Amino acid sequence: MQASVLTEVLLPLALAFVMFGMGLTLTIGDFTRLLKAPKAVLTGFIGQIVLLPLLALGLCFVFGLPDYIAVGVMILAACPGGTTSNLISHIAKANLALSVSLTAISTIACVFTTPFIIQFAIDYFVKENAPEFSIIQTVTGLVGVSILPVIIGMTIRRFNTTFATKTENFFRQFSMYFMLLMIVGVLVSERNNLASSLEAAFLVCLTLNLSSVLLGLLLAKVSKLAFKDSLTLAIEIGVQNAALAMLICITFLNAPDYAIAPGVYGIAMYIGPALLAVWAKRKNKREQEVQKASKKGQPVKLVQ
């Protein structure tokens, strides 16, 4: 997939449009929530920005991945959660406010941390024919496709809340379809490489997803957070902005084979949160039954 109007213009514009939609859902309060719930936000932030890339690096070693899969996994782990994590948090009845705050804060942080993780991954894993990479250009590009659209969206929401509320569902659907189209495009264009690496890519992506969900639960337990916050951290750390990772690979690095891992992860990343949501639903149901029995004066059975 050579550089073209699609890779250089249309894909960045489409992602900027998605980030603009995310901005329409944000307020200043989503950023200042750190002051109100510092422990939950800081725990999630450290898990996503620091521990997730380290987890991804460890899995790259364990699976002995080809360089283009390993770099793709590292780029993916360096990206924030995106709007998908907020949607899943809503469905799972997690702490949506915390989810939105973590997404907002990690999106800003990743603009500056992601380029250095990419540089490390390329230097470490790619032995020859490494793509040209500029940290400054990547930071500038990420600001252009993520931070500026988010700021514009937040500004519009500030002065026209009605418009932001009415268009929220449209942008959420656009984000989903855009990511699906990118996944299909990457998998089709890289079908030759995919044929030889699908098993390795899927296994490492599934393992990363399940491990990152467990990482979120573990961090929440260590920090003694509420159950809803635990769900939120597990989802935020387990769901990455695969569309942004694919855009970085295709447009910024001009290396579409690196986008195979983010493309596969875009499908696999729903498995961990789905299992988590089922477990949370059963847990909540059992707790409700216990509460009802307690109110009626019936013996309460402890749930294992």
Side-chain angles (χ1 to χ4, degrees):
M1 188 183 295
Q2 299 299 318
S4 64
V5 174
L6 174 64
T7 61
E8 298 294 330
V9 179
L10 295 182
L11 288 182
L13 280 177
L15 183 61
F17 194 60
V18 170
M19 300 306 290
F20 167 74
M22 188 176 83
L24 289 175
T25 68
L26 299 176
T27 65
I28 296 298
D30 295 319
F31 292 90
T32 59
R33 193 167 283 110
L34 174 63
L35 301 176
K36 300 177 181 178
K39 185 165 67 171
V41 175
L42 282 175
T43 301
F45 183 81
I46 292 173
Q48 180 139 26
I49 303 299
V50 179
L51 299 182
L52 180 60
L54 291 175
L55 174 62
L57 180 62
L59 292 178
C60 289
F61 292 147
V62 170
F63 282 87
L65 301 172
D67 56 358
Y68 61 95
I69 298 294
V71 174
V73 168
M74 293 303 299
I75 292 173
L76 174 74
C79 289
T83 56
T84 303
S85 63
N86 304 150
L87 176 60
I88 295 176
S89 292
H90 174 70
I91 295 173
K93 296 183 179 180
N95 187 336
L96 183 58
L98 176 60
S99 174
V100 172
S101 297
L102 285 171
T103 298
I105 295 170
S106 64
T107 296
I108 293 177
C110 285
V111 166
F112 304 100
T113 60
T114 298
F116 290 97
I117 294 175
I118 295 173
Q119 184 69 75
F120 165 79
I122 292 175
D123 291 343
Y124 189 87
F125 291 107
V126 183
K127 306 305 180 184
E128 56 185 25
N129 299 322
E132 294 183 4
F133 178 73
S134 169
I135 290 180
I136 295 177
Q137 289 181 0
T138 303
V139 169
T140 303
L142 289 175
V143 169
V145 300
S146 59
I147 301 301
L148 288 181
V150 166
I151 291 175
I152 294 172
M154 289 180 63
T155 303
I156 292 177
R157 179 184 177 88
R158 173 67 177 81
F159 295 101
N160 194 340
T161 305
T162 302
F163 170 79
T165 303
K166 287 183 177 180
T167 57
E168 181 177 340
N169 188 55
F170 166 77
F171 281 103
R172 183 179 290 122
Q173 291 185 9
F174 179 84
S175 173
M176 185 68 65
Y177 290 131
F178 172 61
M179 187 178 72
L180 290 176
L181 286 174
M182 287 196 70
I183 291 173
V184 172
V186 166
L187 299 184
V188 170
S189 67
E190 296 300 315
R191 56 188 177 278
N192 293 330
N193 285 329
L194 185 64
S196 60
S197 59
L198 177 60
E199 182 177 355
F202 181 77
L203 285 176
V204 72
C205 286
L206 179 59
T207 304
L208 177 62
N209 179 245
L210 297 178
S211 300
S212 56
V213 167
L214 291 175
L215 173 63
L217 293 175
L218 178 62
L219 288 173
K221 185 175 182 61
V222 171
S223 300
K224 298 180 180 180
L225 299 180
F227 180 66
K228 275 195 170 185
D229 293 346
S230 300
L231 289 179
T232 307
L233 261 62
I235 293 169
E236 280 295 316
I237 298 175
V239 177
Q240 306 309 307
N241 193 336
L244 177 59
M246 286 185 280
L247 179 79
I248 291 173
C249 298
I250 295 170
T251 302
F252 294 0
L253 298 178
N254 193 25
D257 53 337
Y258 291 1
I260 290 177
V264 173
Y265 195 86
I267 300 172
M269 70 180 181
Y270 295 102
I271 297 176
L275 295 174
L276 183 70
V278 171
W279 171 69
K281 185 176 181 179
R282 293 184 61 184
K283 180 178 174 64
N284 288 330
K285 184 178 180 180
R286 287 197 296 267
E287 290 180 349
Q288 290 174 359
E289 291 174 349
V290 170
Q291 290 176 356
K292 289 181 180 179
S294 178
K295 289 181 180 180
K296 293 180 179 179
Q298 298 175 354
V300 178
K301 296 182 179 180
L302 294 178
V303 180
Q304 300 298 324

